[in-house]
Amino acid sequence: MLIPCVLSLALGLWGVRREGTLWRDEVVTYDMARRTPGQLWGTLADADAVHGLHYLLMQGLFRLFGDDADRLLVLRLPSVLATAAACGLLALLGQHLAGPRAGLAAGVVLAVLPPVQRYAQEGRSYALVLALVVWATYLLVRAVGTGRVRFWAGYGAVVLGACLLHEFAVLVLTAHVLVVPAHRRRAFLGTALPVCVLLAPLALLSATQSAQVAWIGGIGLTDVLGVAGMTGLGVGCALWLRRAGGPLPGRTLPGGLPRLGLALLVVPAALLLAVSLVKPLYVDRYVLYSNAGAALLIGAVLGRARPRVLLVAGAAVLALLPYSVHLRTPDSRLENVTAIGDTVRAAGQDADGVLYLPGRRRVWSLADPAAFGGLRDLARSGTPASSRTLYGTEVDPGTLRARMLATPRILLLSDPAGQPMDRVAQEEMKRRILDSEFEDCRRWRLRAVTITLYARPGEC
């Protein structure tokens, strides 16, 4: 376990601050973690309940370390440590199923997989879910092998923890049920059903907050190719292991490691894709833990491979190095909120007010409020914290119109052209007044963000 843990920890700490930058989702975590418990609970009742446990954990950490701590490290170190734990636990699982060489290789492979490296350095819940799913899978294997109640109880508790951190972790149960032998099926169901019952209140609450996932588009070609490619890789590894012959040490599951690895890799992602045909929900990070299945399969192959295969694997790791370097740069994430604040600090000297289009992009201001301090937020009626919402509330269209017309220069922060536009009255009013009553004076184009200075005619 030690080598994968140390490797993952080193990779996680390497460039963990990304030159002092955050991206939008991390800003939400940071803002929620700094609210009072009452404000946090009030917000979760209406929005983002699916991340509620993670916000509570982060709130505790920020209180523990205080205001003087490096906020980026407090945000990201839990993910760094969770990923290291996941790699160590996967090594233990691989050793139990296929021997020490396979276990070591599986842990190392998980540490170097690009998606795992990415979310090991983000202040979100996905790395923690990965660690808990790997731990739960190990406990399941032990429970199946021994039948002991303590392993079943531990399995249920850890799976429930993963689901409470992010409810889509429940999909791992569909992978696990496929590998449980018939004589343990009753014990499995007796453990899994209480998990689902205890998760149900959170699932029902989050179902009422479906607007939180309205941004997810339909299934794209990249999604399908990504899942298909990883599935093909997994199937290839499983076939190679079957062709290699010979029993795998410590086998306690029907089909052994190949079946377990394929189930983890394919089933949760495939199910989420299938659901997305009706209601778009598929985002690869929601099933980040499926990478554990890929690592198990690749690790088992490497554990039994000839030296020339290991050389090919080493070359593949070296080929990933440029991407690994890129992951540690500000440009590796969709939005660089720090750069947005710096641009507003400079551009805002020529403006009197600020607007966000759509209004939920107000989140860009939460990481560095001082950068926006001299600008009046023309649409805001309540701050995110005081209104117990994620992005604050906005005034009615009539009030918004009056405020805009009374402001000579407006700085607009918006999504780039071509992005879907919210069809709500406030957003339509912003666009209408800017188009008819203001001139476009200057633009700054950042990655995934456009900042435009508008002025009344003749004021540019």
Side-chain angles (χ1 to χ4, degrees):
M1 294 175 64
L2 184 60
I3 292 176
C5 281
V6 171
L7 174 62
S8 176
L9 190 61
L11 289 172
L13 293 175
W14 168 34
V16 67
R17 299 188 78 258
R18 289 201 302 277
E19 300 179 27
T21 61
L22 298 99
W23 82 287
R24 183 177 65 218
D25 282 9
E26 291 182 305
V27 174
V28 174
T29 302
Y30 177 63
D31 180 64
M32 296 289 275
R34 294 184 304 139
R35 299 188 184 187
T36 66
Q39 290 172 336
L40 179 59
W41 282 113
T43 304
L44 295 177
D46 295 315
D48 237 14
V50 67
H51 294 296
L53 180 57
H54 184 242
Y55 294 150
L56 286 170
L57 292 173
M58 296 307 301
Q59 190 174 82
L61 284 178
F62 274 97
R63 288 179 178 271
L64 176 64
F65 288 102
D67 295 335
D68 295 332
D70 186 321
R71 65 178 182 178
L72 295 179
L73 293 181
V74 177
L75 273 172
R76 293 172 185 159
L77 276 180
S79 293
V80 172
L81 296 175
T83 304
C87 293
L89 288 165
L90 193 72
L92 187 63
L93 175 61
Q95 176 182 340
H96 187 79
L97 290 173
R101 290 184 61 190
L104 173 62
V108 169
V109 168
L110 185 65
V112 301
L113 286 177
V116 175
Q117 288 192 56
R118 177 189 179 97
Y119 293 105
Q121 294 188 326
E122 287 203 0
R124 300 295 277 174
S125 64
Y126 309 111
L128 281 72
V129 173
L130 168 65
L132 291 177
V133 166
V134 173
W135 186 11
T137 304
Y138 173 74
L139 291 172
L140 174 68
V141 172
R142 295 301 306 273
V144 168
T146 65
R148 293 178 181 174
V149 173
R150 65 186 180 97
F151 286 121
W152 284 114
Y155 169 72
V158 175
V159 167
L160 179 61
C163 294
L164 293 177
L165 277 171
H166 197 284
E167 62 189 38
F168 286 163
V170 74
L171 295 174
V172 78
L173 294 176
T174 62
H176 286 165
V177 72
L178 296 178
V179 301
V180 174
H183 69 285
R184 299 294 191 203
R185 194 68 53 80
R186 184 174 180 179
F188 173 81
L189 293 177
T191 305
L193 288 177
V195 170
C196 295
V197 170
L198 292 172
L199 180 63
L202 174 62
L204 292 173
L205 176 59
S206 62
T208 67
Q209 302 172 359
S210 59
Q212 293 298 120
V213 292
W215 60 270
I216 302 175
I219 299 173
L221 181 60
T222 302
D223 299 325
V224 175
L225 291 178
V227 173
M230 291 301 292
T231 299
L233 176 63
V235 170
C237 289
L239 291 175
W240 188 93
L241 290 169
R242 175 174 294 184
R243 188 169 59 250
L248 294 173
R251 178 182 291 177
T252 57
L253 299 175
L257 183 147
R259 185 171 178 177
L260 175 62
L262 275 178
L264 281 175
L265 172 61
V266 177
V267 175
L271 279 176
L272 198 56
L273 275 177
V275 170
S276 295
L277 293 173
V278 178
K279 167 67 176 176
L281 289 174
Y282 181 81
V283 181
D284 58 355
R285 59 180 177 268
Y286 292 170
V287 285
L288 178 69
Y289 54 85
S290 65
N291 286 276
L296 268 179
L297 291 163
I298 297 170
V301 170
L302 295 178
R304 305 178 70 179
R306 296 177 180 178
R308 63 183 180 183
V309 176
L310 298 178
L311 289 175
V312 172
V317 172
L318 290 177
L320 291 173
L321 185 58
Y323 184 69
S324 296
V325 173
H326 172 70
L327 285 175
R328 276 82 184 171
T329 66
D331 291 337
S332 64
R333 301 317 194 261
L334 183 63
E335 297 154 358
N336 182 345
V337 177
T338 306
I340 295 172
D342 292 341
T343 304
V344 169
R345 186 178 279 106
Q349 296 177 7
D350 297 324
D352 306 295
V354 63
L355 286 174
Y356 304 91
L357 191 64
R360 61 180 178 273
R361 297 299 181 245
R362 186 172 286 103
V363 68
W364 292 331
S365 69
L366 302 181
D368 186 11
F372 298 74
L375 297 172
R376 183 188 182 192
D377 189 337
L378 301 175
R380 191 185 71 190
S381 63
T383 66
S386 66
S387 63
R388 299 186 178 186
T389 61
L390 289 182
Y391 313 118
T393 54
E394 297 199 337
V395 297
D396 62 89
T399 303
L400 174 59
R401 179 179 184 277
R403 288 183 181 182
M404 292 178 66
L405 291 177
T407 305
R409 293 170 177 265
I410 296 175
L411 198 66
L412 177 72
L413 280 69
S414 63
D415 289 337
Q419 295 298 308
M421 295 184 293
D422 291 0
R423 299 297 180 182
V424 297
Q426 287 88 342
E427 308 300 345
E428 292 178 355
M429 181 62 72
K430 294 173 191 176
R431 291 190 288 267
R432 185 184 311 126
I433 297 300
L434 289 174
D435 289 342
S436 63
E437 304 293 338
F438 286 81
E439 294 179 347
D440 180 342
C441 297
R442 187 179 176 189
R443 292 196 177 192
W444 296 261
R445 287 185 172 88
L446 308 179
R447 188 165 186 263
V449 182
T450 299
I451 300 176
T452 309
L453 178 64
Y454 284 91
R456 297 304 296 271
E459 297 292 328
C460 282

